[in-house]
Structure formats: structure tokens, C-alpha cells
Amino acid sequence: MTQENNDLDSLLNRMRTVSSPIRGTLTEIHTSLKGMSHGRVADYIPELASADPNWFGIAITGVDGNTVEVGDSAQPFSIQSASKPFVYGLALDSHGRDHVLSKVNVEPSGEAFNSIVLDQSTNRPFNPLVNSGAIATTDLIPGASHVDRIKNLLSKLEQYVGRTLHVDNATFISERSTGHRNRAIAHLMLNFGMIEDRVEETLELYFQQCAVLVNCKDLSVMAATLANGGVNPVTGVRAIQSEYLKDLLSIMLACGMYDYAGQWGYLVGLPAKSSVSGAVLAVVPGKFGIAVYSPPLDERGNSVRGVATCRALSERFGLHVLDAHFVGSSLDNEFRPSRG
Ligand code: GLN
């Protein structure tokens, strides 16, 4: 057992007690990073522009359902792109892998999240975690009418969160009235037959999806559900068929942080997703979900404190999923030669 794994196990044990010292570790990280002053709060709609740049919350939920939170972890915000992996999961659950793959590729784009670019040979969006791919997976949300489809979307997100969710109407209206770029992307995909001819309805659903209100704790439970094999650890409800879990986690590792995905994979090494509202959620498979909320974004659109917090946690507890020590130690336990 490596030092990191000892630390990780004692971290998990400590999360189980009420006066959890993990709160001390999170408070320490929170204190050391709250003074970071760079980054800009998204300002393309008033609902995001009015966020306080000092807001900073961290929450960790274990696969046993316990949560430890510090800072502004109860502050509500619009989920924005952090919804994208979960909508991809809904598309997979509803249509199966082959059909979804025929509509959305699984390749990092290397481009900004809102770029108007499709894979040249197949006309598919690069992946489901950039806007083009997310509009394509939104098109795959099942239901006979717009009302059915928004109900299906909300109830899916609610399975991950474990509570009733609502669309923030002001954010939705603002997204809709400023979403010309997303409209252009959708029409390009309609031109190539990648989405069905109900573009306005699908865009409405996409804008509503972005405007669902959550908080940092909610996102940590969503991440913990993915860490827990797809079963919400608080409610016991299965949110995604287990066969699709690796589809979500691998795409989050490869593409979850936009054009920072390569460095993120190298430095932090956790399946993750960020959003323009300033959230980052990350999954430590089999262990816990991490969520950070802090509105100032870097030039790639990722929360500055969100990236720094996940990096600090990953380094401190050896959380990188490809860390040879981590893999090596579990293999040692699994395949220890039998005696006699
Ligand atoms: N509403 C945003 C958009 O569609 C979501 C993008 C994001 O969170 N990065 O542009």
C-alpha cells in the first residue's frame, strides 16, 4: 500500500464521522485558494454576470452517501454544461451505444466548447461534452412531446441528485434570446441529418437543460452516483445502466474540460466536467464524487478555483486514475499468489 492509498483510506474513514477532519483538509484547501483573483465571471447573460466572483464552495460525497462541504456549497447556480454527461447517459440508456455513436463521436475536439465544427468525414459532432454534441444528445431525449421530453430530462437529473429540480426561467429566457451560436450549430447539424427536424424544440430543451438550478452538494452527489457504479448512494436509485458507465467516465476523462482536457488528464487524471457557471465535478471511481463551485473562469472556460481544487485533492491523495501505484496496489491484493 502506498502512502497515497493509506491517506485515501483514512480520508474515507474520516468522512464517516460527524466531526470529520476531512472538513479540516477541505477548509485548508479552500483557505489557500480563495484568494486566487484571476479569471472572469461569464457575462453573456445577466443571470451569470451577477454571480459574486468570491463565491467558492467544495463538496465531496462518498459512495456511502456521506457528504462533507465547505464554503458556498449551498449557493444555487445554473448547471450549464455540467448536465452534458448525464444527458449523454440518458441518450445511451434510451437508444443504445450504436445509435448514439452514429450521431456523436467520442473524440476530443481540441477546439473551444462552442465551436461550429463537425467531424469532416462523418459530419458528427466531435463528442457529447461540447455544445454541438450536447445538442445532438438533447435531440435524442425520448418523449412524444416537448413536455414529455423536459419531464424525462428533469426526472433523469433528479435520479442523480436525489431531489426535485427546477428550470430557472430567467436563465432559460436569457439563454434562448442569446443562443444564436447554438442555433447555428443546430441548423448545421440539421443540414447534415445529424438531428431531427424539430430544431427549435430541441434548442428549447437544450437551453432549459442549461438553466436547471443546482448547488455544489447536488453536483457532488451526481458525481458520487457515477463513482458508485451508477446508483445514487443517498437514495439507492439506479440512474444509468451499468454497461454505459464507462462510456460516460471515459468521455469525461478525455473531453470533460474542453481544450484543457489533455493537461487535465495529465495533471489531475479524473473523469470530470466543467460548466460556464463555474462548476467542476470530478469522479473518483469506487470512492467519491467531488464538486467545486467558483464562478471566475480561465481562458478555456473552466473555473479557476475549480481546477486548482481538484488538482490539489488529486495530488494530495494520489487520486489520478492512471497512477501506477494505485493500479499496482489493487492488482497486488487481487492477484496475490496463493500459498500451499
Ligand atoms: N449555456 C452554455 C452554452 O450553451 C453552456 C456552455 C458551458 O457551460 N460551457 O453556451
Side-chain angles (χ1 to χ4, degrees):
M1 255 243 169
T2 62
Q3 182 56 43
E4 285 93 345
N5 272 300
N6 278 328
D7 289 351
L8 180 57
D9 284 340
S10 69
L11 168 85
L12 287 168
N13 286 333
R14 280 180 282 153
M15 280 177 73
R16 287 178 192 109
T17 63
V18 179
S19 62
S20 159
I22 176 59
R23 188 179 308 284
T25 308
L26 290 189
T27 304
E28 197 186 305
I29 292 176
H30 188 271
T31 307
S32 71
L33 299 179
K34 75 175 176 214
M36 290 179 97
S37 58
H38 53 287
R40 283 193 53 201
V41 175
D43 58 4
Y44 69 93
I45 54 172
E47 294 73 20
L48 292 178
S50 63
D52 183 338
N54 295 314
W55 281 337
F56 181 22
I58 311 174
I60 292 187
T61 298
V63 293
D64 61 0
N66 282 314
T67 300
V68 176
E69 340 169 29
V70 297
D72 302 302
S73 56
Q75 174 63 45
F77 55 88
S78 53
I79 189 169
Q80 300 289 349
S81 286
S83 59
K84 290 179 167 75
F86 306 99
V87 176
Y88 181 49
L90 175 55
L92 286 165
D93 263 347
S94 313
H95 300 275
R97 187 175 290 130
D98 289 346
H99 183 69
V100 176
L101 267 178
S102 75
K103 301 288 182 189
V104 193
N105 204 354
V106 288
E107 205 58 63
S109 69
E111 306 272 349
F113 66 88
N114 56 2
S115 60
I116 307 182
V117 54
L118 301 175
D119 172 335
Q120 276 195 341
S121 54
T122 62
N123 298 317
R124 286 176 299 175
F126 275 83
N127 68 69
L129 304 188
V130 290
N131 287 10
S132 53
I135 293 168
T137 54
T138 301
D139 184 52
L140 296 173
I141 294 173
S145 63
H146 184 178
V147 174
D148 278 354
R149 294 171 79 208
I150 184 71
K151 273 192 193 148
N152 286 337
L153 168 68
L154 279 174
S155 67
K156 176 51 68 188
L157 295 177
E158 286 167 355
Q159 286 173 357
Y160 284 99
V161 172
R163 70 175 180 92
T164 306
L165 293 173
H166 300 284
V167 172
D168 180 56
N169 216 33
T171 306
F172 162 53
I173 304 283
S174 292
E175 289 285 342
R176 185 170 62 180
S177 58
T178 56
H180 309 302
R181 209 178 162 93
N182 289 321
R183 212 163 266 118
I185 292 170
H187 281 278
L188 185 66
M189 292 195 293
L190 174 64
N191 173 63
F192 288 120
M194 283 295 125
I195 58 172
E196 283 189 35
D197 193 359
R198 49 175 178 184
V199 175
E200 275 313 311
E201 181 180 311
T202 294
L203 281 167
E204 295 258 318
L205 269 174
Y206 175 78
F207 297 135
Q208 286 170 316
Q209 175 195 135
C210 290
V212 170
L213 281 188
V214 289
N215 60 37
C216 200
K217 183 189 174 188
D218 293 331
L219 289 190
S220 78
V221 178
M222 294 177 93
T225 301
L226 296 180
N228 191 38
V231 175
N232 182 316
V234 181
T235 63
V237 169
R238 173 164 289 286
I240 181 167
Q241 293 172 54
S242 53
E243 64 177 299
Y244 297 127
L245 199 67
K246 74 173 172 46
D247 299 53
L248 262 68
L249 294 179
S250 52
I251 205 78
M252 288 168 75
L253 184 59
C255 312
M257 303 297 283
Y258 309 120
D259 40 337
Y260 184 67
Q263 286 189 70
W264 174 270
Y266 185 78
L267 295 169
V268 182
L270 294 174
K273 187 69 198 87
S274 66
S275 81
V276 76
S277 45
V280 177
L281 65 87
V283 180
V284 186
K287 306 281 184 187
F288 49 81
I290 301 168
V292 188
Y293 170 60
S294 170
L297 307 175
D298 62 22
E299 57 288 351
R300 269 112 166 192
N302 295 318
S303 165
V304 171
R305 293 190 192 100
V307 170
T309 301
C310 292
R311 198 171 162 187
L313 283 167
S314 180
E315 281 168 7
R316 187 129 169 188
F317 296 111
L319 301 180
H320 195 298
V321 289
L322 301 179
D323 189 328
H325 291 110
F326 187 73
V327 173
S329 62
S330 30
L331 282 181
D332 287 349
N333 292 336
E334 211 60 41
F335 298 111
R336 186 164 293 156
S338 56
R339 292 172 190 214

